[in-house]
Amino acid sequence: QVQLVESGGGLVQAGASLRLSCAASGRAFNSLAMGWFRQAPGKEREFVAAIRSGGSPSYADSVKGRFTISRDNAKNTVLLQMNSLKSEDTAVYYCAARADIIAVSTSSRMYPYWGQGTQVTVSS
């Protein structure tokens, strides 16, 4: 069992930055692959970024060069630094976790543990 709590969302203007944080508990954090997904109203939940237990990151093409995922195993947290935000980034952002086996998955179906989400709104 893993519990995840996101924080750091908010309302910002286009071009601004936000840092999302996800705090994990209930399982050895360093054994997990962590991911960030987002869902806008009326759209499917989509992959944003993921990081393996060893620190190898993966990104969706839409956020490459703007977002950075990192983890702090000592604090059992994963971060998503979001720079140069666009209105298209507006969504509820969810933290997710799964056992790190073979490779990072970009499919939400492969992540059994989820946080409640945090709203990110970017105004034009």
Side-chain angles (χ1 to χ4, degrees), residues 13-65:
Q13 297 185 74
S17 298
L18 278 176
R19 179 177 292 171
L20 305 184
S21 178
C22 174
S25 63
R27 186 173 177 177
F29 182 74
N30 61 5
S31 70
L32 301 173
M34 305 295 297
W36 286 98
F37 293 77
R38 66 188 183 187
Q39 187 167 24
K43 296 186 177 181
E44 297 290 326
R45 187 169 298 186
E46 66 175 355
F47 170 77
V48 176
I51 187 166
R52 296 191 65 182
S53 60
S56 300
S58 298
Y59 300 96
D61 288 342
S62 60
V63 306
K64 284 182 179 178

Side-chain angles (χ1 to χ4, degrees), residues 37-107:
F37 293 77
R38 66 188 183 187
Q39 187 167 24
K43 296 186 177 181
E44 297 290 326
R45 187 169 298 186
E46 66 175 355
F47 170 77
V48 176
I51 187 166
R52 296 191 65 182
S53 60
S56 300
S58 298
Y59 300 96
D61 288 342
S62 60
V63 306
K64 284 182 179 178
R66 299 189 298 122
F67 291 10
T68 301
I69 188 170
S70 62
R71 64 193 297 154
D72 186 339
N73 289 345
K75 297 181 179 180
N76 288 0
T77 59
V78 60
L79 305 175
L80 184 68
Q81 177 67 45
M82 305 185 294
N83 297 328
S84 301
L85 283 163
K86 306 174 181 179
S87 60
E88 305 96 278
D89 296 318
T90 295
V92 176
Y93 283 70
Y94 296 91
C95 178
R98 73 177 185 94
D100 188 0
I101 303 175
I102 306 300
V104 169
S105 176
T106 61
S107 173

